Amino acid sequence: MVENKAEFEAIRQMYTVLSLHYLEEMKQSDIAVRLNLSTSKVNRLIAQGKRMGMVKIVIESPYQPLVDLENGLIASTSLAHAVVTPAVPGNPHTNLQQVGRAAANQLLETIRDGDVIAITGGKAVSAMVQNLNPDRSFDVKVVPLTGGVQGKYYTDVNHLATQLAERLGGTAMLVHAPLFAESRELRDMLMEMASIKEVFDLARSAAVAVVGIGSIRTAGSSYFDLHPDPDSRRQLLLDGGVTGEFLAHLILQDGSVADYPLNSRLVALNPGELAQCPLTIGVASGEEKVEPICAALAGRLFNSLIIDEQTATAVLETIREERHVA
């Protein structure tokens, strides 16, 4: 009876400490004063209560279906992190802006002074830049992962890199070369130019990369549309297994780079070179991006993904169907 009484008193004290700390949100030092205990004993009682299972913390989100999608994506792929944003059916612009805001928030939560940030062009990356509103300046460098395509604000990666650096308070180093070289030999020569090589070497050492994901199935969704007469080649590429575009490279269903002449003329990092980047964030929105996202996931081309709810649902269903068939 004495042992039971002692145990009861110990548990009762532990319960009191836990209630004051978690329910009344009191600091450990204040609990110590209230109960005439040392702060170290309060700390020990809290730790012991946790070990005994007396503390059960339940966190519920009003967007639980989105959290479930995020967990499903992480469990079904090699992703370390996923963010799924609410979708408005029939409003792709709103969905894209939601993805852009989420990407901007993740970038701000991740970067540190001294970091190099590497980016591609694309509508989703542009949406991220537009929605970036930091509370302070960051001493960072922003560099492109590809050469530039002028004419549209979201394909001119130098423009996006400059905007991103300005919003963050950092500096940008630009690639003064076109995305498509006229020949493989010219591409190789451009990649070895000191000014271009310096930028791409920095990109290879980036702490964070933010990349768009292109679709060749739908016009206006990739750099492939800038190739002469893309429509006549589109179906041939799809029939040949090309699924999407990553760092402007045409990729197959398994995420590997397709054996296609256009790829050899790209002034850009190869997708495989991002493997050493600690955090590569893929950003995309839209039904046409489902197949390319699945291909990039199969190739483990990024370890973080930010997409909208409709796209996430379709991606997860596609992955599960492919595994069921296999």
mmCIF file of all heavy atoms in Angstrom, residues 152-192:
data_model
loop_
_atom_site.group_PDB
_atom_site.id
_atom_site.type_symbol
_atom_site.label_atom_id
_atom_site.label_comp_id
_atom_site.label_asym_id
_atom_site.label_seq_id
_atom_site.Cartn_x
_atom_site.Cartn_y
_atom_site.Cartn_z
ATOM 1 N N LYS A 152 9.257 36.635 -73.479
ATOM 2 C CA LYS A 152 8.207 36.442 -72.483
ATOM 3 C C LYS A 152 8.840 36.554 -71.110
ATOM 4 O O LYS A 152 9.934 36.045 -70.878
ATOM 5 C CB LYS A 152 7.535 35.080 -72.651
ATOM 6 C CG LYS A 152 6.783 34.919 -73.967
ATOM 7 C CD LYS A 152 6.155 33.536 -74.075
ATOM 8 C CE LYS A 152 5.409 33.378 -75.387
ATOM 9 N NZ LYS A 152 4.822 32.016 -75.522
ATOM 10 N N TYR A 153 8.123 37.179 -70.198
ATOM 11 C CA TYR A 153 8.683 37.426 -68.868
ATOM 12 C C TYR A 153 9.022 36.130 -68.150
ATOM 13 O O TYR A 153 9.959 36.074 -67.355
ATOM 14 C CB TYR A 153 7.716 38.254 -68.025
ATOM 15 C CG TYR A 153 6.436 37.548 -67.663
ATOM 16 C CD1 TYR A 153 6.318 36.833 -66.478
ATOM 17 C CD2 TYR A 153 5.339 37.590 -68.521
ATOM 18 C CE1 TYR A 153 5.146 36.169 -66.150
ATOM 19 C CE2 TYR A 153 4.168 36.933 -68.198
ATOM 20 C CZ TYR A 153 4.074 36.224 -67.016
ATOM 21 O OH TYR A 153 2.919 35.565 -66.700
ATOM 22 N N TYR A 154 8.286 35.046 -68.411
ATOM 23 C CA TYR A 154 8.513 33.810 -67.663
ATOM 24 C C TYR A 154 9.496 32.860 -68.351
ATOM 25 O O TYR A 154 9.892 31.867 -67.759
ATOM 26 C CB TYR A 154 7.184 33.087 -67.390
ATOM 27 C CG TYR A 154 6.380 32.746 -68.631
ATOM 28 C CD1 TYR A 154 6.635 31.583 -69.348
ATOM 29 C CD2 TYR A 154 5.354 33.570 -69.066
ATOM 30 C CE1 TYR A 154 5.902 31.256 -70.478
ATOM 31 C CE2 TYR A 154 4.611 33.254 -70.190
ATOM 32 C CZ TYR A 154 4.883 32.107 -70.888
ATOM 33 O OH TYR A 154 4.155 31.794 -72.013
ATOM 34 N N THR A 155 9.867 33.127 -69.603
ATOM 35 C CA THR A 155 10.888 32.299 -70.242
ATOM 36 C C THR A 155 12.274 32.931 -70.161
ATOM 37 O O THR A 155 13.269 32.255 -70.395
ATOM 38 C CB THR A 155 10.553 32.036 -71.723
ATOM 39 O OG1 THR A 155 10.486 33.276 -72.426
ATOM 40 C CG2 THR A 155 9.229 31.298 -71.855
ATOM 41 N N ASP A 156 12.320 34.208 -69.821
ATOM 42 C CA ASP A 156 13.603 34.900 -69.693
ATOM 43 C C ASP A 156 14.124 34.680 -68.278
ATOM 44 O O ASP A 156 13.820 35.427 -67.349
ATOM 45 C CB ASP A 156 13.422 36.393 -69.975
ATOM 46 C CG ASP A 156 14.746 37.140 -70.018
ATOM 47 O OD1 ASP A 156 15.778 36.547 -69.616
ATOM 48 O OD2 ASP A 156 14.753 38.300 -70.453
ATOM 49 N N VAL A 157 14.909 33.618 -68.109
ATOM 50 C CA VAL A 157 15.367 33.235 -66.775
ATOM 51 C C VAL A 157 16.278 34.296 -66.164
ATOM 52 O O VAL A 157 16.311 34.461 -64.936
ATOM 53 C CB VAL A 157 16.052 31.853 -66.811
ATOM 54 C CG1 VAL A 157 17.381 31.913 -67.554
ATOM 55 C CG2 VAL A 157 16.245 31.289 -65.413
ATOM 56 N N ASN A 158 16.992 35.041 -66.993
ATOM 57 C CA ASN A 158 17.819 36.133 -66.467
ATOM 58 C C ASN A 158 16.950 37.212 -65.818
ATOM 59 O O ASN A 158 17.297 37.760 -64.766
ATOM 60 C CB ASN A 158 18.657 36.750 -67.591
ATOM 61 C CG ASN A 158 19.857 35.900 -67.949
ATOM 62 O OD1 ASN A 158 20.343 35.121 -67.128
ATOM 63 N ND2 ASN A 158 20.335 36.035 -69.168
ATOM 64 N N HIS A 159 15.825 37.494 -66.445
ATOM 65 C CA HIS A 159 14.891 38.471 -65.884
ATOM 66 C C HIS A 159 14.350 37.987 -64.546
ATOM 67 O O HIS A 159 14.295 38.745 -63.564
ATOM 68 C CB HIS A 159 13.750 38.715 -66.870
ATOM 69 C CG HIS A 159 12.658 39.586 -66.347
ATOM 70 N ND1 HIS A 159 12.833 40.931 -66.089
ATOM 71 C CD2 HIS A 159 11.364 39.305 -66.009
ATOM 72 C CE1 HIS A 159 11.704 41.443 -65.624
ATOM 73 N NE2 HIS A 159 10.802 40.476 -65.560
ATOM 74 N N LEU A 160 13.963 36.712 -64.472
ATOM 75 C CA LEU A 160 13.440 36.155 -63.226
ATOM 76 C C LEU A 160 14.506 36.133 -62.136
ATOM 77 O O LEU A 160 14.223 36.431 -60.975
ATOM 78 C CB LEU A 160 12.908 34.737 -63.458
ATOM 79 C CG LEU A 160 11.601 34.615 -64.242
ATOM 80 C CD1 LEU A 160 11.214 33.150 -64.398
ATOM 81 C CD2 LEU A 160 10.480 35.382 -63.557
ATOM 82 N N ALA A 161 15.737 35.770 -62.513
ATOM 83 C CA ALA A 161 16.828 35.743 -61.532
ATOM 84 C C ALA A 161 17.085 37.138 -60.977
ATOM 85 O O ALA A 161 17.305 37.309 -59.762
ATOM 86 C CB ALA A 161 18.090 35.178 -62.172
ATOM 87 N N THR A 162 17.045 38.142 -61.843
ATOM 88 C CA THR A 162 17.247 39.523 -61.404
ATOM 89 C C THR A 162 16.135 39.965 -60.462
ATOM 90 O O THR A 162 16.383 40.570 -59.412
ATOM 91 C CB THR A 162 17.313 40.467 -62.621
ATOM 92 O OG1 THR A 162 18.390 40.061 -63.483
ATOM 93 C CG2 THR A 162 17.530 41.901 -62.185
ATOM 94 N N GLN A 163 14.888 39.649 -60.832
ATOM 95 C CA GLN A 163 13.752 40.005 -59.977
ATOM 96 C C GLN A 163 13.830 39.324 -58.616
ATOM 97 O O GLN A 163 13.593 39.949 -57.576
ATOM 98 C CB GLN A 163 12.440 39.593 -60.662
ATOM 99 C CG GLN A 163 11.925 40.583 -61.682
ATOM 100 C CD GLN A 163 10.469 40.300 -62.006
ATOM 101 O OE1 GLN A 163 10.038 39.156 -62.100
ATOM 102 N NE2 GLN A 163 9.692 41.361 -62.174
ATOM 103 N N LEU A 164 14.181 38.027 -58.626
ATOM 104 C CA LEU A 164 14.272 37.283 -57.375
ATOM 105 C C LEU A 164 15.346 37.875 -56.472
ATOM 106 O O LEU A 164 15.143 38.054 -55.265
ATOM 107 C CB LEU A 164 14.559 35.807 -57.668
ATOM 108 C CG LEU A 164 14.726 34.881 -56.453
ATOM 109 C CD1 LEU A 164 13.500 34.926 -55.554
ATOM 110 C CD2 LEU A 164 14.993 33.455 -56.912
ATOM 111 N N ALA A 165 16.496 38.179 -57.054
ATOM 112 C CA ALA A 165 17.585 38.767 -56.268
ATOM 113 C C ALA A 165 17.169 40.118 -55.690
ATOM 114 O O ALA A 165 17.457 40.422 -54.526
ATOM 115 C CB ALA A 165 18.826 38.915 -57.140
ATOM 116 N N GLU A 166 16.491 40.929 -56.475
ATOM 117 C CA GLU A 166 16.052 42.248 -56.001
ATOM 118 C C GLU A 166 15.066 42.114 -54.845
ATOM 119 O O GLU A 166 15.145 42.851 -53.858
ATOM 120 C CB GLU A 166 15.418 43.034 -57.155
ATOM 121 C CG GLU A 166 16.431 43.524 -58.184
ATOM 122 C CD GLU A 166 15.768 44.223 -59.367
ATOM 123 O OE1 GLU A 166 14.516 44.171 -59.458
ATOM 124 O OE2 GLU A 166 16.487 44.807 -60.192
ATOM 125 N N ARG A 167 14.139 41.178 -54.950
ATOM 126 C CA ARG A 167 13.144 41.004 -53.893
ATOM 127 C C ARG A 167 13.772 40.495 -52.601
ATOM 128 O O ARG A 167 13.331 40.841 -51.504
ATOM 129 C CB ARG A 167 12.039 40.058 -54.362
ATOM 130 C CG ARG A 167 11.080 40.687 -55.360
ATOM 131 C CD ARG A 167 10.011 39.707 -55.813
ATOM 132 N NE ARG A 167 9.074 40.341 -56.721
ATOM 133 C CZ ARG A 167 7.914 40.883 -56.369
ATOM 134 N NH1 ARG A 167 7.557 40.887 -55.099
ATOM 135 N NH2 ARG A 167 7.117 41.431 -57.257
ATOM 136 N N LEU A 168 14.806 39.676 -52.734
ATOM 137 C CA LEU A 168 15.466 39.119 -51.553
ATOM 138 C C LEU A 168 16.531 40.056 -50.990
ATOM 139 O O LEU A 168 16.976 39.881 -49.855
ATOM 140 C CB LEU A 168 16.101 37.773 -51.891
ATOM 141 C CG LEU A 168 15.133 36.624 -52.175
ATOM 142 C CD1 LEU A 168 15.912 35.386 -52.636
ATOM 143 C CD2 LEU A 168 14.288 36.289 -50.952
ATOM 144 N N GLY A 169 16.950 41.029 -51.788
ATOM 145 C CA GLY A 169 18.024 41.915 -51.348
ATOM 146 C C GLY A 169 19.395 41.370 -51.652
ATOM 147 O O GLY A 169 20.398 41.858 -51.109
ATOM 148 N N GLY A 170 19.465 40.371 -52.537
ATOM 149 C CA GLY A 170 20.741 39.760 -52.900
ATOM 150 C C GLY A 170 21.242 40.246 -54.245
ATOM 151 O O GLY A 170 20.859 41.326 -54.722
ATOM 152 N N THR A 171 22.084 39.433 -54.873
ATOM 153 C CA THR A 171 22.636 39.778 -56.180
ATOM 154 C C THR A 171 22.370 38.642 -57.158
ATOM 155 O O THR A 171 22.197 37.484 -56.758
ATOM 156 C CB THR A 171 24.159 40.013 -56.102
ATOM 157 O OG1 THR A 171 24.796 38.838 -55.590
ATOM 158 C CG2 THR A 171 24.473 41.194 -55.214
ATOM 159 N N ALA A 172 22.343 38.968 -58.430
ATOM 160 C CA ALA A 172 22.128 37.973 -59.475
ATOM 161 C C ALA A 172 23.334 37.912 -60.393
ATOM 162 O O ALA A 172 23.947 38.940 -60.690
ATOM 163 C CB ALA A 172 20.880 38.307 -60.282
ATOM 164 N N MET A 173 23.689 36.701 -60.806
ATOM 165 C CA MET A 173 24.685 36.502 -61.851
ATOM 166 C C MET A 173 23.969 35.843 -63.019
ATOM 167 O O MET A 173 23.247 34.846 -62.835
ATOM 168 C CB MET A 173 25.842 35.636 -61.349
ATOM 169 C CG MET A 173 26.654 36.300 -60.256
ATOM 170 S SD MET A 173 28.098 35.322 -59.751
ATOM 171 C CE MET A 173 29.081 35.372 -61.255
ATOM 172 N N LEU A 174 24.144 36.369 -64.213
ATOM 173 C CA LEU A 174 23.321 35.986 -65.347
ATOM 174 C C LEU A 174 24.092 35.169 -66.383
ATOM 175 O O LEU A 174 25.317 35.239 -66.462
ATOM 176 C CB LEU A 174 22.735 37.237 -66.004
ATOM 177 C CG LEU A 174 22.033 38.222 -65.039
ATOM 178 C CD1 LEU A 174 21.486 39.413 -65.805
ATOM 179 C CD2 LEU A 174 20.936 37.525 -64.256
ATOM 180 N N VAL A 175 23.338 34.396 -67.153
ATOM 181 C CA VAL A 175 23.911 33.617 -68.259
ATOM 182 C C VAL A 175 23.605 34.361 -69.552
ATOM 183 O O VAL A 175 22.449 34.394 -69.993
ATOM 184 C CB VAL A 175 23.319 32.193 -68.316
ATOM 185 C CG1 VAL A 175 23.786 31.465 -69.562
ATOM 186 C CG2 VAL A 175 23.707 31.409 -67.069
ATOM 187 N N HIS A 176 24.626 34.963 -70.133
ATOM 188 C CA HIS A 176 24.426 35.726 -71.366
ATOM 189 C C HIS A 176 24.630 34.804 -72.562
ATOM 190 O O HIS A 176 25.619 34.886 -73.303
ATOM 191 C CB HIS A 176 25.379 36.921 -71.400
ATOM 192 C CG HIS A 176 25.119 37.903 -70.298
ATOM 193 N ND1 HIS A 176 23.970 38.666 -70.234
ATOM 194 C CD2 HIS A 176 25.845 38.216 -69.185
ATOM 195 C CE1 HIS A 176 24.007 39.434 -69.152
ATOM 196 N NE2 HIS A 176 25.135 39.176 -68.498
ATOM 197 N N ALA A 177 23.658 33.925 -72.730
ATOM 198 C CA ALA A 177 23.678 32.958 -73.826
ATOM 199 C C ALA A 177 22.256 32.484 -74.071
ATOM 200 O O ALA A 177 21.446 32.438 -73.142
ATOM 201 C CB ALA A 177 24.580 31.774 -73.494
ATOM 202 N N PRO A 178 21.926 32.126 -75.308
ATOM 203 C CA PRO A 178 20.583 31.610 -75.588
ATOM 204 C C PRO A 178 20.415 30.198 -75.041
ATOM 205 O O PRO A 178 21.394 29.483 -74.823
ATOM 206 C CB PRO A 178 20.528 31.614 -77.121
ATOM 207 C CG PRO A 178 21.958 31.408 -77.535
ATOM 208 C CD PRO A 178 22.785 32.154 -76.512
ATOM 209 N N LEU A 179 19.181 29.796 -74.818
ATOM 210 C CA LEU A 179 18.921 28.439 -74.357
ATOM 211 C C LEU A 179 19.278 27.410 -75.424
ATOM 212 O O LEU A 179 19.856 26.369 -75.119
ATOM 213 C CB LEU A 179 17.438 28.305 -73.985
ATOM 214 C CG LEU A 179 16.969 26.920 -73.571
ATOM 215 C CD1 LEU A 179 17.726 26.413 -72.351
ATOM 216 C CD2 LEU A 179 15.467 26.922 -73.301
ATOM 217 N N PHE A 180 18.953 27.734 -76.679
ATOM 218 C CA PHE A 180 19.224 26.801 -77.777
ATOM 219 C C PHE A 180 20.405 27.294 -78.602
ATOM 220 O O PHE A 180 20.350 28.364 -79.189
ATOM 221 C CB PHE A 180 18.000 26.674 -78.693
ATOM 222 C CG PHE A 180 16.767 26.177 -77.997
ATOM 223 C CD1 PHE A 180 15.730 27.044 -77.693
ATOM 224 C CD2 PHE A 180 16.643 24.842 -77.657
ATOM 225 C CE1 PHE A 180 14.592 26.594 -77.051
ATOM 226 C CE2 PHE A 180 15.496 24.378 -77.018
ATOM 227 C CZ PHE A 180 14.478 25.253 -76.716
ATOM 228 N N ALA A 181 21.471 26.515 -78.629
ATOM 229 C CA ALA A 181 22.594 26.814 -79.518
ATOM 230 C C ALA A 181 22.298 26.229 -80.899
ATOM 231 O O ALA A 181 21.502 25.300 -81.037
ATOM 232 C CB ALA A 181 23.890 26.218 -78.970
ATOM 233 N N GLU A 182 22.958 26.766 -81.912
ATOM 234 C CA GLU A 182 22.671 26.311 -83.271
ATOM 235 C C GLU A 182 23.231 24.929 -83.560
ATOM 236 O O GLU A 182 22.784 24.252 -84.484
ATOM 237 C CB GLU A 182 23.216 27.327 -84.277
ATOM 238 C CG GLU A 182 22.488 28.673 -84.221
ATOM 239 C CD GLU A 182 23.005 29.642 -85.266
ATOM 240 O OE1 GLU A 182 23.873 29.230 -86.084
ATOM 241 O OE2 GLU A 182 22.549 30.798 -85.271
ATOM 242 N N SER A 183 24.225 24.505 -82.784
ATOM 243 C CA SER A 183 24.810 23.180 -82.970
ATOM 244 C C SER A 183 25.367 22.693 -81.640
ATOM 245 O O SER A 183 25.528 23.478 -80.699
ATOM 246 C CB SER A 183 25.933 23.211 -84.011
ATOM 247 O OG SER A 183 27.025 23.987 -83.516
ATOM 248 N N ARG A 184 25.670 21.413 -81.577
ATOM 249 C CA ARG A 184 26.258 20.859 -80.354
ATOM 250 C C ARG A 184 27.637 21.464 -80.110
ATOM 251 O O ARG A 184 28.016 21.734 -78.969
ATOM 252 C CB ARG A 184 26.354 19.349 -80.461
ATOM 253 C CG ARG A 184 26.950 18.701 -79.229
ATOM 254 C CD ARG A 184 26.803 17.207 -79.241
ATOM 255 N NE ARG A 184 27.250 16.624 -77.985
ATOM 256 C CZ ARG A 184 26.995 15.387 -77.612
ATOM 257 N NH1 ARG A 184 26.285 14.582 -78.412
ATOM 258 N NH2 ARG A 184 27.425 14.929 -76.456
ATOM 259 N N GLU A 185 28.372 21.680 -81.183
ATOM 260 C CA GLU A 185 29.719 22.238 -81.045
ATOM 261 C C GLU A 185 29.660 23.649 -80.471
ATOM 262 O O GLU A 185 30.461 24.016 -79.604
ATOM 263 C CB GLU A 185 30.421 22.255 -82.408
ATOM 264 C CG GLU A 185 30.788 20.888 -82.945
ATOM 265 C CD GLU A 185 29.576 20.099 -83.456
ATOM 266 O OE1 GLU A 185 28.543 20.754 -83.780
ATOM 267 O OE2 GLU A 185 29.649 18.848 -83.517
ATOM 268 N N LEU A 186 28.699 24.446 -80.955
ATOM 269 C CA LEU A 186 28.558 25.804 -80.441
ATOM 270 C C LEU A 186 28.110 25.765 -78.987
ATOM 271 O O LEU A 186 28.568 26.561 -78.157
ATOM 272 C CB LEU A 186 27.548 26.581 -81.284
ATOM 273 C CG LEU A 186 27.337 28.052 -80.901
ATOM 274 C CD1 LEU A 186 28.655 28.815 -80.900
ATOM 275 C CD2 LEU A 186 26.330 28.708 -81.840
ATOM 276 N N ARG A 187 27.231 24.829 -78.658
ATOM 277 C CA ARG A 187 26.796 24.674 -77.279
ATOM 278 C C ARG A 187 27.980 24.375 -76.380
ATOM 279 O O ARG A 187 28.139 24.974 -75.302
ATOM 280 C CB ARG A 187 25.749 23.559 -77.190
ATOM 281 C CG ARG A 187 25.233 23.282 -75.800
ATOM 282 C CD ARG A 187 25.953 22.119 -75.141
ATOM 283 N NE ARG A 187 25.396 21.815 -73.833
ATOM 284 C CZ ARG A 187 25.974 21.048 -72.931
ATOM 285 N NH1 ARG A 187 27.167 20.501 -73.185
ATOM 286 N NH2 ARG A 187 25.406 20.817 -71.775
ATOM 287 N N ASP A 188 28.837 23.439 -76.787
ATOM 288 C CA ASP A 188 30.009 23.083 -75.979
ATOM 289 C C ASP A 188 30.936 24.274 -75.800
ATOM 290 O O ASP A 188 31.504 24.471 -74.715
ATOM 291 C CB ASP A 188 30.753 21.920 -76.631
ATOM 292 C CG ASP A 188 29.951 20.621 -76.585
ATOM 293 O OD1 ASP A 188 28.999 20.541 -75.801
ATOM 294 O OD2 ASP A 188 30.292 19.698 -77.354
ATOM 295 N N MET A 189 31.079 25.057 -76.858
ATOM 296 C CA MET A 189 31.941 26.243 -76.776
ATOM 297 C C MET A 189 31.357 27.261 -75.789
ATOM 298 O O MET A 189 32.087 27.823 -74.959
ATOM 299 C CB MET A 189 32.084 26.875 -78.155
ATOM 300 C CG MET A 189 33.047 28.072 -78.173
ATOM 301 S SD MET A 189 33.087 28.902 -79.764
ATOM 302 C CE MET A 189 31.514 29.748 -79.722
ATOM 303 N N LEU A 190 30.047 27.476 -75.844
ATOM 304 C CA LEU A 190 29.408 28.423 -74.934
ATOM 305 C C LEU A 190 29.536 27.970 -73.481
ATOM 306 O O LEU A 190 29.797 28.780 -72.590
ATOM 307 C CB LEU A 190 27.925 28.570 -75.299
ATOM 308 C CG LEU A 190 27.609 29.351 -76.574
ATOM 309 C CD1 LEU A 190 26.141 29.215 -76.929
ATOM 310 C CD2 LEU A 190 27.984 30.818 -76.420
ATOM 311 N N MET A 191 29.376 26.672 -73.248
ATOM 312 C CA MET A 191 29.449 26.152 -71.880
ATOM 313 C C MET A 191 30.846 26.309 -71.276
ATOM 314 O O MET A 191 30.999 26.322 -70.055
ATOM 315 C CB MET A 191 29.044 24.677 -71.855
ATOM 316 C CG MET A 191 27.580 24.422 -72.183
ATOM 317 S SD MET A 191 26.430 24.989 -70.904
ATOM 318 C CE MET A 191 26.649 23.742 -69.625
ATOM 319 N N GLU A 192 31.850 26.434 -72.119
ATOM 320 C CA GLU A 192 33.228 26.586 -71.646
ATOM 321 C C GLU A 192 33.666 28.040 -71.538
ATOM 322 O O GLU A 192 34.768 28.322 -71.058
ATOM 323 C CB GLU A 192 34.190 25.815 -72.548
ATOM 324 C CG GLU A 192 34.099 24.308 -72.409
ATOM 325 C CD GLU A 192 34.371 23.844 -70.980
ATOM 326 O OE1 GLU A 192 35.325 24.369 -70.362
ATOM 327 O OE2 GLU A 192 33.633 22.988 -70.472
#
